[in-house]
Amino acid sequence: MIMILMELAERNRHRADATKDDVLQIPMSILTLEDRIAEKYDSIKELTVFGVNEETGQPQAKGFSNQAEAERLQEEISGLNEQKDELVALVGAIEEIFESYGMTPRPMQALSEEISEITNAPRALAFKINSKVRALMDANRGITLAEIWSNPEIMTLETERGQMITRGEGKVANLVTLKDELLPLCKRAGALVQAVRRPGRENTNPARVAQ
């Protein structure tokens, strides 16, 4: 299964703000791990001693020029794959939550922006209504409030604003609930993401550093 968040991370991997997004930082860390794993496989390949298979005449790996170093690299690859598997599982869980809400997976920032957009839309329409009211008052100084609010255009805009508020409240509540479900997974991923960003940091002995 192709993970949508992995595709988003690939497209945004060179954007600094993407690494700060609670959701997107998880697949971004997976990409970092994949790069490190590939580098270590390249190092193992450089250590590989090739010969020729006597039966087929084809090149064949005979061993390593430095067996201990090759084993160390293989152990590191195993550890990186374990980290990657944990993060992949979290990405899968996050995408399942989005799917349960009938939504395409997206960065946390996109959810926050959508909430702000829905919340601010009625306010923007209110400004438009006020502008229309002022225009009516400027055009006719003697106009009454009853005449203003019975104006067809004003009535249409007010009806639209009311409907927008009603629809928006439900959408915002849904998005906030979605975010609340995502946050525990993002928090769980935090330590894993930091371990990827600062490899070996978790194994550092503070007392030894102080010496």
Side-chain angles (χ1 to χ4, degrees), residues 40-159:
K40 293 187 184 297
Y41 272 122
D42 286 341
S43 296
I44 289 176
K45 186 176 180 180
E46 291 175 2
L47 294 172
T48 303
V49 176
F50 290 94
V52 177
N53 186 295
E54 295 180 357
E55 295 181 0
T56 64
Q58 298 296 317
Q60 181 180 19
K62 296 292 187 180
F64 300 103
S65 59
N66 186 330
Q67 182 68 32
E69 177 66 8
E71 290 177 357
R72 184 185 68 80
L73 289 167
Q74 288 170 338
E75 287 180 6
E76 289 181 359
I77 289 172
S78 177
L80 292 173
N81 275 320
E82 287 180 7
Q83 285 181 283
K84 178 184 171 183
D85 289 344
E86 288 186 76
L87 290 168
V88 168
L90 285 170
V91 169
I94 287 172
E95 294 205 346
E96 285 180 5
I97 290 175
F98 273 105
E99 184 178 349
S100 71
Y101 280 79
M103 295 181 63
T104 302
R106 63 201 66 183
M108 189 70 81
Q109 181 62 30
L111 285 177
S112 298
E113 290 173 355
E114 188 171 354
I115 290 172
S116 296
E117 183 180 340
I118 294 171
T119 303
N120 293 329
R123 189 180 308 164
L125 195 53
F127 284 128
K128 183 177 181 180
I129 292 171
N130 289 337
S131 178
K132 296 289 183 183
V133 169
R134 286 196 299 271
L136 289 173
M137 294 176 67
D138 290 341
N140 181 2
R141 295 293 181 178
I143 193 170
T144 65
L145 288 176
E147 289 173 326
I148 289 174
W149 297 115
S150 62
N151 177 279
E153 188 175 5
I154 298 295
M155 291 178 66
T156 298
L157 290 173
E158 275 293 351
T159 299

Side-chain angles (χ1 to χ4, degrees), residues 8-22 24-26 28-29 107 109 193 197:
L8 286 174
E10 185 65 52
R11 291 202 299 267
N12 293 279
R13 69 183 306 176
H14 299 300
R15 289 180 51 185
D17 59 333
T19 62
K20 300 175 183 178
D21 187 271
D22 288 340
L24 209 53
Q25 67 175 352
I26 305 172
M28 295 280 280
S29 296
Q109 181 62 30
V193 170
R197 290 178 178 173

